[in-house]
Amino acid sequence: MSNPQTHQESILFKRYKNNPVLTPGMWPYRVNSVFNAGAIQFGKKILLLVRVEDMKGFSHLCKAESKDGFTNWKIDTGPSLSPKVGDYPEEKYGIEDPRIVKLENDKRYVIVYTSYSESGPLVSLATTEDFETYRRYGAIMPPDDKDASLFPRMFKGRWALLHRPSPTSYLLGANIWISFSPDLKHWGDHAILLPARKGSWWDAYKVGLGPPPIETPEGWLIIYHGVKTTAAGSLYRLGLAMLDLDDPCKVIRRCEDWVFGPNEYYERVGDVPDVTFPCGVVIKGDELIMYYGAADTSIAIATASMKEVLAYVMKSK
Ligand code: BMA
């Protein structure tokens, strides 16, 4: 039977023909699922820090590298970054959903990830230069908070972080916030940046950042997920926004329509059905390569032309 939703396919993003590219069966050790990977160009390779859920249900991060970013993945033979509960008790139930940025004029890569603490999910930060050894900064936002990424450079002498605190009441909306820090450790000047819409919108009541902000001539391109709650469960789809290049507190565009969502079998069926959840992109020339978790089970790729994406975003309101 052909997929009844195929006519709703986005024109901007195209799925890679051999999706999904990374599946639990490919792992060198026994795992439940592999999804929501951070991505970065590292030397000549594309490096993913993959969220791996073990057979207990806890997540850690595992490195996978590929020369072309699509094929021949070399996967670490064990966990690359595991919860370190003795020193960081907030990592008790695992670490999840990393977003990686390379700092400008700096050797460091910053990884912002979700730690699953006894009091719920929160935001943690670590740095690395080589993806072998990591320096942890610990919890930088208290629970409940997730879907966070740093910007790769400072604004007026301060680092900026996007993240998504969750309010106690669903109807108040889980919105994307921005916060600032002089040292990556102490954060303040918290403000709502991109609120969830309300009512029947595709991104009503819950939104969260996808990959790190992407620097473009038009501004910081934001790919975010919106969650629509239905009688049958949640639908995780993607939308686009643009922030001012010099002042990321200013949202200059926000598209109305979602641009990518669950459609193929591997996105619709899995541990959590109907989820497309990117945590990383790599830009090569005009090609935007987006790595997304599919149904919280495997990792897939969709590509887009940066030129087309920018034209689409800038012609919206
Ligand atoms: C979100 C996050 C993601 C997950 C998604 C769908 O809240 O926890 O890690 O992919 O739910 O289950």
Side-chain angles (χ1 to χ4, degrees):
M1 197 182 87
S2 69
N3 189 322
Q5 287 188 330
T6 300
H7 65 282
Q8 292 178 352
E9 275 297 279
S10 153
I11 45 157
L12 285 180
F13 286 89
K14 305 205 172 14
R15 287 174 176 80
Y16 176 54
K17 60 180 189 317
N18 293 331
N19 273 348
V21 288
L22 290 163
T23 60
M26 293 164 71
W27 240 247
Y29 53 104
R30 197 161 168 250
V31 302
N32 174 60
S33 48
V34 300
F35 54 121
N36 303 0
I40 198 89
Q41 181 79 45
F42 182 61
K44 291 206 167 106
K45 292 182 181 154
I46 288 182
L47 182 151
L48 302 186
L49 274 181
V50 176
R51 171 178 173 190
V52 175
E53 191 184 289
D54 67 20
M55 303 301 284
K56 297 199 300 283
F58 296 14
S59 292
H60 60 265
L61 308 183
C62 183
K63 202 167 66 194
E65 290 172 287
S66 157
K67 273 197 190 130
D68 63 7
F70 293 86
T71 60
N72 294 319
W73 292 95
K74 187 176 154 279
I75 303 169
D76 276 4
T77 52
S80 318
L81 189 62
S82 293
K84 211 172 167 189
V85 185
D87 297 330
Y88 301 91
E90 69 275 8
E91 299 185 357
K92 178 166 182 179
Y93 296 123
I95 56 175
E96 310 177 346
D97 301 359
R99 275 82 171 180
I100 313 169
V101 297
K102 166 76 172 58
L103 299 186
E104 260 178 39
N105 308 319
D106 194 309
K107 283 191 183 141
R108 289 173 297 171
Y109 296 80
V110 175
I111 303 153
V112 177
Y113 56 96
T114 304
S115 292
Y116 196 161
S117 80
E118 268 187 344
S119 316
L122 55 76
V123 178
S124 292
L125 186 147
T127 60
T128 186
E129 289 183 18
D130 54 9
F131 292 92
E132 298 293 336
T133 53
Y134 298 87
R135 175 180 169 207
R136 275 170 159 90
Y137 282 62
I140 57 167
M141 292 289 164
D144 280 12
D145 203 333
K146 51 167 69 173
D147 299 328
S149 175
L150 194 73
F151 285 79
R153 61 177 156 86
M154 289 175 142
F155 300 92
K156 296 192 178 138
R158 296 190 303 170
W159 299 106
L161 185 89
L162 298 182
H163 58 115
R164 205 284 311 281
S166 298
T168 40
S169 163
Y170 163 78
L171 284 170
L172 288 173
N175 309 313
I176 299 177
W177 288 61
I178 188 164
S179 300
F180 292 90
S181 169
D183 58 4
L184 295 178
K185 178 106 182 117
H186 305 93
W187 294 88
D189 282 348
H190 314 292
I192 293 183
L193 181 74
L194 204 75
R197 287 164 167 136
K198 297 206 182 329
S200 55
W201 278 93
W202 68 271
D203 56 353
Y205 304 109
K206 198 192 236 187
V207 292
L209 182 71
I214 303 162
E215 187 167 4
T216 79
E218 309 284 3
W220 295 97
L221 173 67
I222 300 295
I223 304 177
Y224 71 96
H225 63 261
V227 186
K228 185 167 174 114
T229 311
T230 77
S234 298
L235 290 166
Y236 278 75
R237 297 186 287 214
L238 306 180
L240 302 171
M242 188 69 79
L243 311 180
D244 186 89
L245 211 47
D246 299 320
D247 180 3
C249 294
K250 279 190 200 145
V251 180
I252 55 176
R253 293 285 188 281
R254 181 174 185 178
C255 301
E256 292 198 329
D257 295 359
W258 54 272
V259 295
F260 192 79
N263 192 17
E264 297 298 323
Y265 183 83
Y266 53 89
E267 298 158 350
R268 305 221 53 195
V269 177
D271 275 5
V272 184
D274 293 321
V275 178
T276 48
F277 200 99
C279 291
V281 291
V282 172
I283 313 290
K284 275 194 172 175
D286 182 52
E287 191 176 43
L288 182 160
I289 310 172
M290 179 173 78
Y291 296 88
Y292 63 99
D296 282 11
T297 298
S298 63
I299 293 172
I301 297 176
T303 59
S305 149
M306 277 300 281
K307 241 188 262 154
E308 287 178 22
V309 170
L310 292 184
Y312 178 87
V313 175
M314 294 315 287
K315 77 167 199 287
S316 75
K317 277 186 245 157

